Amino acid sequence: MKIDVPLDHGLIPDKYAKFAPKDQRTADMPTTNFPIHVTDLPTGTQSLAVSLIDYDAIPVGGFPWIHWLAANIPVGNIPENLRESGLAISGTNSTWHFVQKANQPANPDINQAYIGPMPPDKTHDYTLTVFALDTLLDLENGFFLNDFKRYSQDHILKAVTLALPARA
């Protein structure tokens, strides 16, 4: 399996990150994901899943920042603005931390969406992983990363990871 993401001078394009235009933001956060070109899927692939995690966030916030979780994506390329397409289920990202900390109501348009990179201190490398699965997972919108790990454990045919930098 191979994955490819369009980059701009080796970086996640501004359109999907910190400098996204207003029409691609929700609550001033970039919420339109970049497309992912997927080829050479293993035989038996029934669905795809994706995660985007910022491990460079640990020194800044104390934990890796989950920017994007999605599962039960149809086999093929992952389109721009996946959540709006309705083709997949969306997992909970790390903005959930603010919901819990401030005892605020959840907002699925933010908490269960792609939240583009917004590194506060320097260019960060974001770990994109695309999973080829042999089934649809028994998950619902709002699932957490630990749920994904539990339900996908015996169903991952292949996982491919890319480091994608985004500018501060």
Side-chain angles (χ1 to χ4, degrees):
M1 181 167 83
K2 296 177 187 171
I3 59 174
D4 185 48
V5 171
L7 298 178
D8 183 14
H9 297 93
L11 300 167
I12 295 173
D14 288 346
K15 171 181 180 178
Y16 308 112
K18 188 175 189 173
F19 302 102
K22 288 188 184 285
D23 67 341
Q24 294 186 326
R25 294 177 167 272
T26 304
D28 204 33
M29 290 183 272
T31 52
T32 298
N33 67 272
F34 46 81
I36 304 169
H37 186 68
V38 182
T39 57
D40 300 330
L41 287 164
T43 301
T45 301
Q46 297 297 310
S47 70
L48 302 174
V50 63
S51 69
L52 183 67
I53 301 175
D54 179 9
Y55 293 98
D56 287 341
I58 295 171
V60 178
F63 56 90
W65 190 268
I66 300 167
H67 282 266
W68 189 24
L69 292 174
N72 294 350
I73 304 167
V75 174
N77 293 324
I78 299 171
E80 176 179 279
N81 213 4
L82 175 65
R83 187 168 189 279
E84 289 299 313
S85 75
L87 293 175
I89 58 170
S90 298
T92 299
N93 61 43
S94 288
T95 64
W96 185 252
H97 166 77
F98 299 121
V99 171
Q100 294 298 300
K101 187 176 178 180
N103 199 21
Q104 303 173 356
N107 179 349
D109 292 336
I110 297 169
N111 310 126
Q112 296 173 21
Y114 167 90
I115 296 296
M118 298 182 291
D121 57 338
K122 61 181 180 177
T123 297
H124 284 202
D125 285 328
Y126 295 80
T127 302
L128 171 70
T129 305
V130 176
F131 303 85
L133 304 165
D134 66 2
T135 190
L136 292 173
L137 300 177
D138 188 19
L139 294 169
E140 296 180 8
N141 282 320
F143 69 89
F144 289 93
L145 181 59
N146 58 322
D147 297 324
F148 173 74
K149 287 183 162 193
R150 184 178 315 110
Y151 283 92
S152 68
Q153 187 173 24
D154 297 325
H155 299 287
I156 298 172
L157 298 172
K158 180 99 179 185
V160 176
T161 300
L162 288 179
L164 301 174
R167 69 184 178 116

